[in-house]
Structures are given as structure tokens and as C-alpha cells.
Amino acid sequence: MSTLFGRRILLRPLVAGDFEAWREVRRRNTDWLTRWEPARLQGQPDVVEDQDAFAVRCSARQRERQLGSGYGFGIFVDGAFAGEINLNSVQRGPFQSAYVGYWIDEKHAGQGYVPEALVLVTRFAFDELHLHRIQVAIIPRNAASRRVVEKLALREEGVALRYLEINGVWEDHVRYAMTAEEWDERADELLSAWVD
Ligand SMILES: CC(C)(COP(=O)(O)OP(=O)(O)OC[C@H]1O[C@@H](n2cnc3c(N)ncnc32)[C@H](O)[C@@H]1OP(=O)(O)O)[C@@H](O)C(=O)NCCC(=O)NCCS
């Protein structure tokens, strides 16, 4: 249940032993990623440079997985660490929903790896976790990320104003979603296009 196999990629939780590979990729992609990510809080340890902080992050993700509140995956291409895709803020009760966030090493961009990863995580969310809704929120000017959800034809639900803090600014986000009913209708199409 913790490793997901795609056509070209593998998703699995990151572990402390991934630190060297993680640091190499994150260092090389600072500019590529910083403008699309929340700013690091003052006093918060730097998981890119601090091996212990990275190990703590891995443990926290493992704990979330045990509690069922979040599922983080590293994206691996040819066995090498290449990015991340996470199912965050899993809400049970009447919501049964989660948010998906993702990024990939710039050197692997444009190969369709993240759409493939998103289909794997979507299948996991609906078929394994039995959630009812997955959501992706994207800054309107992030054309590359919007292409990812467009390729999978996630439904656009509108713009949420000043929705998330990204790189120190409260940014508007376009919200995309898929529900379990839509997945049931489209799973075969999406899996044969991206995974099988
Ligand atoms: C958004 C992102 C995850 C897309 O992942 P990906 O695996 O490259 O996705 P795709 O291969 O489907 O490419 C999506 C679009 O990116 C653009 N793209 C392709 N190669 C690119 C490159 N080298 N540099 C910039 N953009 C590129 C293209 O517009 C492409 O659409 P197309 O296939 O119709 O031409 C990736 O660009 C990324 O990690 N960006 C930085 C972090 C980020 O924005 N995360 C998402 C926050 S919501």
C-alpha cells in the first residue's frame, strides 16, 4: 500500500536514507521551486541542509500516514529521486477529501511524470483510501501546473482569493477537483492513458 507503481515512475514514502539525493535535487532546484512554495518560517529548520531536520520530516510524514491524515510520496524515475507528490489534509467525516501537492526536478519537467503520478495518487485516494474528493489548488499564472490538471481533465471549480501563502504572499488559487463518482466513470480512461 505504500509503494505505487506507474508506467515509468515509482512512488514511495521518503526515508531518512534519501537525504543525500533529496539535498542534491533540492539545491539544484531552488529557483525553480521557491516561487511556488510556502516561505520557510523563521526559526524553522532547513530540511534541505539539515539531515536531522529531514529525518524528522520523514518521521512526521510516517506518523501522518499511520494516523491517516496525510500520505507523502517521493517520485522516483529510473530508481532516482526526482520530486514529490503528497496527499495532504485528509479529512474524514462528511468531507472524505484531501488536497494534492506536487513538484518535479526541472531536469525531468515536460515528460508527463507528474500527470502520471497524479493518476497513481488519485487511484490510491479513491480505491485504497475510499475518499470522496481530491482537490488541487494552483496559482493562476502557474501555467505548467494547470497543464497537469488539464491533461487529466480535473474539473475547475473557480478561484479562491488570497487562498494560500506562497513565497510570502497570500496568492489567489484556481481550485480543481475530482469526486469518486467522476473517478468511477473515468478510471479506465485515465489508467490506460497514463499507467497501464
Ligand atoms: C508543474 C510541474 C509539477 C509539472 O510537472 P511535469 O511532470 O513537468 O508535467 P508535464 O510534463 O505534464 O508538463 C506540464 C507543462 O509544463 C510545461 N513545461 C514542459 N517542460 C517544461 C520545462 N522544461 N520548464 C518549464 N515548463 C515546462 C509545458 O507547458 C507542459 O505542458 P505541455 O505538455 O502541454 O507542453 C513542474 O513544472 C514543477 O515541478 N514546477 C515547479 C513546482 C510547481 O509549480 N508545483 C506545482 C504547484 S501547484
Side-chain angles (χ1 to χ4, degrees):
M1 182 158 144
S2 57
T3 301
L4 308 181
F5 297 93
R7 188 179 285 165
R8 303 166 298 165
I9 59 171
L10 176 152
L11 307 183
R12 66 156 173 83
L14 292 177
V15 294
D18 292 313
F19 179 67
E20 299 286 340
W22 153 269
R23 181 170 59 183
E24 190 279 318
V25 173
R26 290 293 308 199
R27 276 181 175 169
R28 211 163 20 77
N29 283 275
T30 306
D31 293 342
W32 169 250
L33 297 173
T34 304
R35 61 204 177 114
W36 305 120
E37 294 186 342
R40 187 155 58 89
L41 296 173
Q42 235 185 345
Q44 201 178 30
D46 182 355
V47 288
V48 176
E49 299 302 333
D50 181 337
Q51 187 158 8
D52 292 338
F54 179 76
V56 168
R57 179 186 194 262
C58 294
S59 306
R61 292 277 162 89
Q62 193 188 349
R63 183 80 183 126
E64 284 177 6
R65 185 172 279 268
Q66 285 163 350
L67 293 169
S69 58
Y71 298 83
F73 297 95
I75 302 173
F76 290 80
V77 175
D78 296 329
F81 173 68
E84 283 183 283
I85 184 161
N86 301 313
L87 207 48
N88 299 312
S89 304
V90 175
Q91 263 189 299
R92 292 297 188 172
F95 273 115
Q96 300 293 335
S97 75
Y99 291 87
V100 186
Y102 46 69
W103 64 269
I104 192 134
D105 185 341
E106 185 176 8
K107 85 173 181 194
H108 291 301
Q111 308 295 313
Y113 290 134
V114 171
E116 183 176 331
L118 183 53
V119 174
L120 288 173
V121 164
T122 301
R123 176 171 65 179
F124 175 72
F126 290 124
D127 292 356
E128 303 287 336
L129 301 180
H130 303 293
L131 293 177
H132 180 252
R133 160 181 281 261
I134 57 142
Q135 309 184 71
V136 183
I138 303 175
I139 296 180
R141 65 179 177 279
N142 191 344
S145 187
R146 294 182 76 171
R147 282 294 298 138
V148 170
V149 293
E150 281 164 15
K151 286 178 185 183
L152 272 49
L154 263 66
R155 189 168 27 75
E156 192 178 321
E157 295 195 314
V159 177
L161 300 184
R162 299 176 291 284
Y163 185 65
L164 278 175
E165 177 275 303
I166 298 293
N167 202 18
V169 177
W170 289 105
E171 295 277 6
D172 298 350
H173 279 69
V174 191
R175 300 184 60 172
Y176 295 86
M178 183 184 286
T179 64
E181 293 83 356
E182 292 166 301
W183 172 250
D184 288 345
E185 254 180 43
R186 302 194 47 226
D188 288 350
E189 164 219 328
L190 288 170
L191 290 168
S192 70
W194 293 98
V195 174
D196 294 335

